[in-house]
């Protein structure tokens, strides 16, 4: 069987735990961005060739969340919960959480990145990036 692959290569690494995200640091103003922006820096307007790929640790804080109860897509089954996460390194992103519902979730909880496998259409395994509440 083939090795598992990242469902979204270029956004995160799958060879370390917790999986680091792949952002961009602007050589002009130092701004760290995630996801990578193909057009350049949103902070100072620098061209894309001044942006350097940088690994961002997958640690942050839950800033908001919402549970989706009806979803027609086939990649994920409802219910699932999407969170707004403020990474410790600065960037904010929206990501699916490992918990299906918001049961036990609270604003300000510590979260970390985690890979969750799913089957791809060609029979292989894809690793999706999710965020899990850190056990204390
Ligand atoms: Zn910049």
């Amino acid at each position: 069987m083939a090795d598992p692959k990242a469902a979204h290569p270029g956004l995160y690494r799958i060879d370390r735990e917790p999986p680091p995200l792949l952002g961009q640091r602007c050589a002009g103003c130092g701004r760290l961005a995630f996801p990578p922006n193909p057009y350049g820096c949103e902070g100072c307007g620098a061209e894309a060739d001044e942006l350097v790929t940088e690994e961002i640790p997958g640690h942050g804080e839950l800033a908001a969340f919402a549970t989706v109860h009806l979803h027609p897509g086939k990649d994920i089954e409802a219910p699932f919960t999407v969170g707004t996460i403020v990474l410790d390194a600065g960037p904010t992103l929206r990501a699916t959480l490992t918990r299906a519902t918001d049961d036990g979730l609270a604003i300000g909880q510590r979260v970390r990145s985690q890979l969750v496998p799913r089957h791809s259409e060609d029979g292989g395994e894809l690793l999706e990036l999710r965020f899990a509440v850190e056990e204390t």
Side-chain angles (χ1 to χ4, degrees), residues 13-92:
R13 297 182 60 126
I14 62 170
D15 56 350
R16 288 212 303 281
E17 271 301 319
L21 286 70
L22 295 173
Q24 286 175 328
R25 173 83 64 184
C26 175
C29 70
R31 184 178 188 273
L32 182 62
F34 182 88
N37 186 336
Y39 303 108
C41 178
E42 287 178 33
C44 70
E47 300 285 334
D49 61 8
E50 288 189 56
L51 305 178
V52 180
T53 300
E54 182 171 312
E55 291 185 15
I56 305 174
H59 293 280
E61 208 173 275
L62 191 58
F65 52 87
T67 300
V68 177
H69 294 278
L70 291 173
H71 183 68
K74 57 184 165 138
D75 290 348
I76 188 167
E77 246 176 74
F80 59 91
T81 299
V82 176
T84 299
I85 291 141
V86 180
L87 295 170
D88 293 344
T92 298

